[in-house]
Amino acid sequence: MANVTVIGAQWGDEGKGKIVDWLASRADAVVRFQGGHNAGHTLVVGDVTYKLSLLPSGIVTGTLSIIGNGVVLDPWALKAEIEKLTAQGVEIDAENFAIADNCALILPLHRDLDGLRENAAGTGKIGTTGRGIGPAYEDKVGRRAIRVCDLAHLDALGPQLDRLCAHHDALRHGFGQDPVDRESLLNELREIADYVLQFAQPVWKRLKKVRKAGARILFEGAQGVLLDVDHGTYPFVTSSNTVSGTAAAGSGLGPASTGFVLGIVKAYTTRVGSGPFPTELSDEIGQRLGERGHEFGTVTGRQRRCGWFDAVLVRQSCSISGVTGIALTKLDVLDGFDVVRICTGYRLDGRILDYLPAHAADQARVEPIYEEMEGWKGTTAGARSWADLPAQAIKYIQRVQELIETPVALVSTSPEREDTILVRDPFVD
Ligand code: IMP
């Protein structure tokens, strides 16, 4: 039975929420496999808008939702998000929700460090979401993390806490901060432990069972390939691997289980936070894209930077992530432009490049080479079939698919679940 892995193919905010929600309604399990509550997924179901940061999107439809081991989990953010959704009428219990017991925790000391570093970085700041994501992953890789399973053994946490605090106290000292208050951290963990533990289990085992039963699994990626810690615009990236391959490692299933890789691609480009952005528009066109596309971050409310579609970047992302087909989103934001532009290559020091080079300084210097296309007059908003689209809009989609060397599987034409043109069903393919 087919599984589907959904990933963002740009810098995040491609409109994954809606697509994942639509797929989740047909999946038997939805799994988050990387990132944390830095993600922001907006789901619109009927008249109700749900905003998710940490929980898998399947939670809204009551589908089995799983937080895999690759996620870094803030227990307090988890509780707050569950309480918010419960107040909206969503039922969440140990039957429909599970957390990997080997997940690393995000602690208040991680949030502190994220903020201290960003404040001290001046113009070199990454523009993180301030949620402690990077410091939490550092401690995981540094083998100092407190994990979900540790919450069941808090009386034996002493030596682990010593190692963790010794590391953080040295860093905090460098920023002129007081050492970690160990007692209060331990008390906070004691207060939240049972809440988290009610959902904790070896999710690889649960997923194995789900898989054996022939169920469809939807792997829900967060952020985007260009924010991947290896393949993204380093160091202006998040601290996890956002590529499709992480679905396996971050949930405890083998690489063959990722199935159809659906890359979510916005019809133009946006980015939040700092870092290179070759097609960025600091003029009224960029402003128009931002206004029409409501480009404000779900998590931080920050205004997103906007620019033309960059086919070089998306082709690279699709290749790196083995994308089977893309979902093209927010095409309606381009409605009404006389001319639309697509970046097809870069110029750097007299050379033409068909890829984004690895070095940050080169990434910042590349000059986009544009192809111009005639815009379209009618609207694409709410289209549910090709016949509903203006001819020029169809030409734009065809050109995008040609340039990125990856087929379009679906086109999303509004935040509503039904406003979708389906070309290839990822679950059936
Ligand atoms: P962090 O993940 O909070 O460490 O932030 C690192 C970079 O990733 C910053 O540029 C953030 O703006 C960006 N980022 C993190 N999560 C998201 C997301 O869900 N959408 C878009 N950008 C994100």
Side-chain angles (χ1 to χ4, degrees), residues 11-14 16 35-41 53 114 118 126-135 137 222-224 227 235-240 270-275 297-300 302 304:
W11 278 292
D13 311 316
E14 298 91 353
K16 288 186 285 295
H37 64 310
N38 50 347
H41 290 177
S53 287
D114 202 351
E118 284 285 273
I126 288 166
T128 72
T129 57
R131 304 273 153 117
I133 306 291
Y137 273 117
Q223 292 86 45
L227 288 169
F236 302 100
V237 292
T238 192
S239 295
S240 63
T270 62
R271 161 158 221 176
V272 215
S274 327
T298 315
V299 173
T300 59
R302 287 179 292 176
R304 297 178 187 140

Side-chain angles (χ1 to χ4, degrees), residues 86 119 179 191 204 264 277 311 348:
T86 306
N119 287 337
E191 275 169 27
W204 65 270
I264 315 297
F277 182 171
L348 181 69

Side-chain angles (χ1 to χ4, degrees), residues 265 309-316 318-319 324-326 328 342-345 354 371-373 386 393-409:
V265 175
F309 185 77
D310 189 334
V312 181
L313 290 184
V314 176
R315 184 170 58 230
Q316 189 159 327
C318 287
S319 175
T324 320
I326 67 155
L328 190 68
I342 300 180
C343 170
T344 58
D354 63 356
E371 183 174 292
E372 261 185 23
M373 293 182 74
W386 291 110
I394 296 176
K395 277 193 188 159
Y396 182 79
I397 298 171
Q398 281 167 342
R399 189 64 185 134
V400 162
Q401 122 177 304
E402 216 169 78
L403 286 166
I404 65 171
E405 298 168 12
T406 311
V408 171

Side-chain angles (χ1 to χ4, degrees), residues 184-426:
S184 102
L185 174 58
L186 203 49
N187 283 337
E188 284 181 75
L189 288 172
R190 280 205 180 97
E191 275 169 27
I192 199 86
D194 285 344
Y195 187 82
V196 178
L197 288 171
Q198 66 177 312
F199 303 113
Q201 54 179 266
V203 300
W204 65 270
K205 246 170 153 283
R206 179 116 180 224
L207 284 170
K208 181 179 170 188
K209 206 164 137 195
V210 165
R211 198 150 186 243
K212 264 196 164 167
R216 300 168 168 198
I217 303 173
L218 174 66
F219 296 96
E220 178 180 7
Q223 292 86 45
V225 173
L226 297 168
L227 288 169
D228 183 280
V229 68
D230 287 295
H231 297 288
T233 46
Y234 193 91
F236 302 100
V237 292
T238 192
S239 295
S240 63
N241 283 112
T242 56
V243 292
S244 59
T246 317
S251 65
L253 281 169
S257 50
T258 48
F260 189 108
V261 179
L262 184 68
I264 315 297
V265 175
K266 189 144 56 178
Y268 50 101
T269 315
T270 62
R271 161 158 221 176
V272 215
S274 327
F277 182 171
T279 61
E280 181 169 16
L281 295 166
S282 328
D283 56 10
E284 67 281 2
I285 297 178
Q287 209 174 333
R288 180 168 164 195
L289 290 172
E291 279 163 16
R292 297 193 53 156
H294 309 291
E295 297 295 354
F296 293 91
T298 315
V299 173
T300 59
R302 287 179 292 176
Q303 195 166 351
R304 297 178 187 140
R305 300 152 66 192
C306 297
W308 292 120
F309 185 77
D310 189 334
V312 181
L313 290 184
V314 176
R315 184 170 58 230
Q316 189 159 327
S317 294
C318 287
S319 175
I320 285 166
S321 235
V323 170
T324 320
I326 67 155
L328 190 68
T329 64
K330 298 183 95 167
L331 184 63
D332 57 300
V333 174
L334 297 180
D335 288 355
F337 276 95
D338 291 334
V339 163
V340 285
R341 296 175 120 195
I342 300 180
C343 170
T344 58
Y346 301 131
R347 240 180 231 107
L348 181 69
D349 299 328
R351 284 181 305 142
I352 307 269
L353 300 183
D354 63 356
Y355 70 100
L356 187 73
H359 199 275
D362 288 340
Q363 292 177 353
R365 283 190 318 118
V366 294
E367 285 172 39
I369 300 168
Y370 286 115
E371 183 174 292
E372 261 185 23
M373 293 182 74
E374 194 188 315
W376 51 92
K377 290 282 170 282
T379 181
T380 60
R384 294 182 184 185
S385 78
W386 291 110
D388 297 337
L389 292 178
Q392 272 306 120
I394 296 176
K395 277 193 188 159
Y396 182 79
I397 298 171
Q398 281 167 342
R399 189 64 185 134
V400 162
Q401 122 177 304
E402 216 169 78
L403 286 166
I404 65 171
E405 298 168 12
T406 311
V408 171
L410 50 108
V411 182
S412 155
T413 57
S414 99
E416 293 296 328
R417 211 193 259 183
E418 291 74 23
D419 291 341
T420 304
I421 302 171
L422 186 63
V423 183
R424 265 172 97 181
D425 188 334

Side-chain angles (χ1 to χ4, degrees), residues 30-266:
V30 184
V31 185
R32 279 275 316 258
F33 53 88
Q34 49 73 228
H37 64 310
N38 50 347
H41 290 177
T42 305
L43 308 180
V44 182
V45 184
D47 295 338
V48 191
T49 300
Y50 303 94
K51 289 194 185 291
L52 305 177
S53 287
L54 178 61
L55 294 171
S57 296
I59 206 83
V60 170
T61 41
T63 312
L64 171 63
S65 295
I66 289 180
I67 292 188
N69 55 279
V71 169
V72 279
L73 182 107
D74 181 324
W76 300 277
L78 171 83
K79 188 162 184 257
E81 195 167 312
I82 291 180
E83 284 173 355
K84 200 174 80 185
L85 286 173
T86 306
Q88 285 187 287
V90 178
E91 278 178 34
I92 302 171
D93 53 36
E95 278 304 303
N96 65 11
F97 178 54
I99 301 172
D101 53 6
N102 50 351
C103 250
L105 297 182
I106 302 181
L107 303 173
L109 51 82
H110 295 123
R111 263 197 316 271
D112 291 350
L113 188 56
D114 202 351
L116 289 166
R117 282 190 181 141
E118 284 285 273
N119 287 337
T123 53
K125 71 165 61 171
I126 288 166
T128 72
T129 57
R131 304 273 153 117
I133 306 291
Y137 273 117
E138 284 171 39
D139 282 342
K140 170 179 165 169
V141 177
R143 293 162 291 191
R144 295 179 293 272
I146 310 291
R147 305 192 302 168
V148 167
C149 51
D150 292 317
L151 295 172
H153 301 275
L154 288 178
D155 289 340
L157 201 65
Q160 243 173 297
L161 213 50
D162 284 344
R163 267 182 0 102
L164 181 70
C165 291
H167 179 79
H168 279 268
D169 287 347
L171 291 167
R172 292 166 76 98
H173 181 71
F175 286 108
Q177 298 294 309
D178 291 337
V180 176
D181 182 342
R182 283 186 46 158
E183 227 17 71
S184 102
L185 174 58
L186 203 49
N187 283 337
E188 284 181 75
L189 288 172
R190 280 205 180 97
E191 275 169 27
I192 199 86
D194 285 344
Y195 187 82
V196 178
L197 288 171
Q198 66 177 312
F199 303 113
Q201 54 179 266
V203 300
W204 65 270
K205 246 170 153 283
R206 179 116 180 224
L207 284 170
K208 181 179 170 188
K209 206 164 137 195
V210 165
R211 198 150 186 243
K212 264 196 164 167
R216 300 168 168 198
I217 303 173
L218 174 66
F219 296 96
E220 178 180 7
Q223 292 86 45
V225 173
L226 297 168
L227 288 169
D228 183 280
V229 68
D230 287 295
H231 297 288
T233 46
Y234 193 91
F236 302 100
V237 292
T238 192
S239 295
S240 63
N241 283 112
T242 56
V243 292
S244 59
T246 317
S251 65
L253 281 169
S257 50
T258 48
F260 189 108
V261 179
L262 184 68
I264 315 297
V265 175
K266 189 144 56 178

